[in-house]
Amino acid sequence: MKFEPLDFSKIRTYPVAERANKVNAGSFASGHEVGGSFAEFLRKLPDFLAVQDFRKLVAAIARAVRTERPVVLMMGAHSIKVGLNPIFVDAMRRGLLHAIGLHGAGAIHDFELCYQGETSEDVQRGLNDGSFGMADETGRRMNAALADGVRRGLGAGRALGDAARAAQFPNLGLSILAAGAELDIPVLVHIAIGTDIIHQHPTTDGAVLGEASYRDFQAFAAVCARLEGGVVLNIGSAVIMPEVFLKALTIARNLGHKVEKLTTATFDMTRHYRPTENVQRRPTALGGEGFYFVGHHEIMVPLLFAAIKEELARGE
């Protein structure tokens, strides 16, 4: 088999002015000026890739707030442990968040911050000597609050928030649970039995855990039924909240609620399967839009909520 040389002199070209380009200098970043505003900083970001997605998400949240559609926050525990509760509580008070879904660990860290201003023990040291998760007050107080709440017909989140407020814990202003109870914003706790330190406590009642969490699952399905035109944020939950969301959304659609055009976004430090499928892709397949942002919560979350405030102020 013989291959004859090609005649490169006959290759066709065309004027560069006729070419469609993806990169234009007009979309480049501008340097930040000392003393400049945060709004100016946002405007000077390069208009590419994640910045474009970020701007779309911010606009979708602002639009949902203006049109009184739900903005729902689902979250893991890490964002609480890196000091972001004041950001979330402020957003609740400003009407930027209308429902919050936590898993059990998130509720524990929030509750501990509320009553003692500290949380997050040294797991390795406690595991080595059998003391991990065995602090008395956290398990005793939370299990008692859940049991009392079930007797009063409450779900887990409201039971814990009411208990914190009734006890006048010293850091109520730091607590998502307490703010939810005060503002009547659903804070819904989805418990996976055996995953949380309070399940090790001698006062634990499995029936209470199940009943309290199931009530919050039912409430979360009611939230999902109102999500047409709304936004769902998933901050740092890789498994539990994406799974709960998919089931609750299915129930809403099964019961005839139209939930097709919604915006979803996950913020996490790496990409995971369930947030990609159960938050970003599957729920938005009927006409919505999903995003995934990779970065540290302690940087990304304050940027997001500051940008939302700026967008809402700009539109007023």
Side-chain angles (χ1 to χ4, degrees):
M1 183 177 294
K2 186 176 181 181
F3 297 95
E4 296 294 334
L6 299 177
D7 186 355
F8 277 34
S9 68
K10 293 181 179 180
I11 291 175
R12 293 164 298 174
T13 63
Y14 65 94
V16 71
E18 297 178 6
R19 189 182 69 190
N21 298 302
K22 296 181 179 180
V23 176
N24 184 292
S27 299
F28 281 23
S30 300
H32 179 69
E33 300 294 336
V34 174
S37 69
F38 182 72
E40 291 172 343
F41 169 80
L42 289 174
R43 285 195 297 271
K44 291 180 177 181
L45 292 173
D47 193 26
F48 296 105
L49 301 175
V51 174
Q52 293 178 338
D53 288 348
F54 186 79
R55 287 172 173 156
K56 288 178 184 178
L57 174 62
V58 169
I61 294 171
R63 183 167 58 250
V65 171
R66 293 189 184 108
T67 58
E68 298 185 340
R69 306 309 303 162
V71 179
V72 179
L73 169 63
M74 308 188 305
M75 58 188 292
H78 186 72
S79 55
I80 295 174
K81 296 196 292 180
V82 294
L84 294 174
N85 267 28
I87 303 292
F88 298 131
V89 171
D90 176 70
M92 295 168 73
R93 295 192 179 281
R94 292 175 181 269
L96 307 183
L97 292 174
H98 308 107
I100 296 175
L102 303 167
H103 54 46
I108 289 168
H109 290 300
D110 183 276
F111 197 84
E112 286 192 333
L113 284 171
C114 193
Y115 83 74
Q116 67 174 5
E118 299 180 9
T119 190
S120 195
E121 64 188 291
D122 185 332
V123 175
Q124 187 64 64
R125 185 171 67 179
L127 183 63
N128 289 349
D129 64 13
S131 66
F132 167 57
M134 299 302 180
D136 176 64
E137 291 86 349
T138 300
R140 176 164 44 82
R141 289 172 174 172
M142 292 187 72
N143 284 323
L146 291 169
D148 178 66
V150 166
R151 284 192 293 270
R152 295 190 293 130
L154 302 177
R158 186 56 181 264
L160 294 169
D162 279 356
R165 297 187 71 223
Q168 283 297 291
F169 288 156
N171 301 295
L172 289 173
L174 286 178
S175 172
I176 296 168
L177 293 163
E182 175 193 347
L183 302 171
D184 199 26
I185 293 174
V187 179
L188 308 170
V189 180
H190 304 277
I191 299 168
I193 294 177
T195 64
D196 302 323
I197 61 170
I198 67 169
H199 306 166
Q200 304 164 201
H201 201 274
T203 62
T204 302
D205 184 332
V208 166
L209 297 179
E211 182 65 27
S213 186
Y214 187 63
R215 289 176 183 172
D216 276 1
F217 174 64
Q218 291 176 310
F220 194 70
V223 169
C224 288
R226 297 279 307 278
L227 271 175
E228 180 72 10
V231 179
V232 176
L233 301 172
N234 177 44
I235 299 178
S237 180
V239 178
I240 291 179
M241 291 313 306
E243 290 292 350
V244 170
F245 175 47
L246 204 68
K247 278 68 173 184
L249 179 60
T250 300
I251 290 171
R253 288 174 173 172
N254 180 275
L255 292 175
H257 297 276
K258 182 181 178 181
V259 186
E260 297 178 357
K261 294 182 180 179
L262 70 157
T263 301
T264 67
T266 286
F267 287 78
D268 214 334
M269 292 180 287
T270 188
R271 288 184 177 270
H272 298 281
Y273 171 78
R274 285 176 177 81
T276 299
E277 292 298 314
N278 294 0
V279 179
Q280 181 183 10
R281 192 183 69 81
R282 288 169 174 158
T284 61
L286 294 177
E289 192 167 18
F291 304 102
Y292 208 123
F293 300 94
V294 176
H296 288 276
H297 299 319
E298 60 270 28
I299 297 173
M300 297 298 294
V301 171
L303 284 175
L304 172 64
F305 283 95
I308 295 167
K309 292 179 189 177
E310 292 290 349
E311 179 68 17
L312 287 167
R314 189 175 67 85
E316 291 175 353

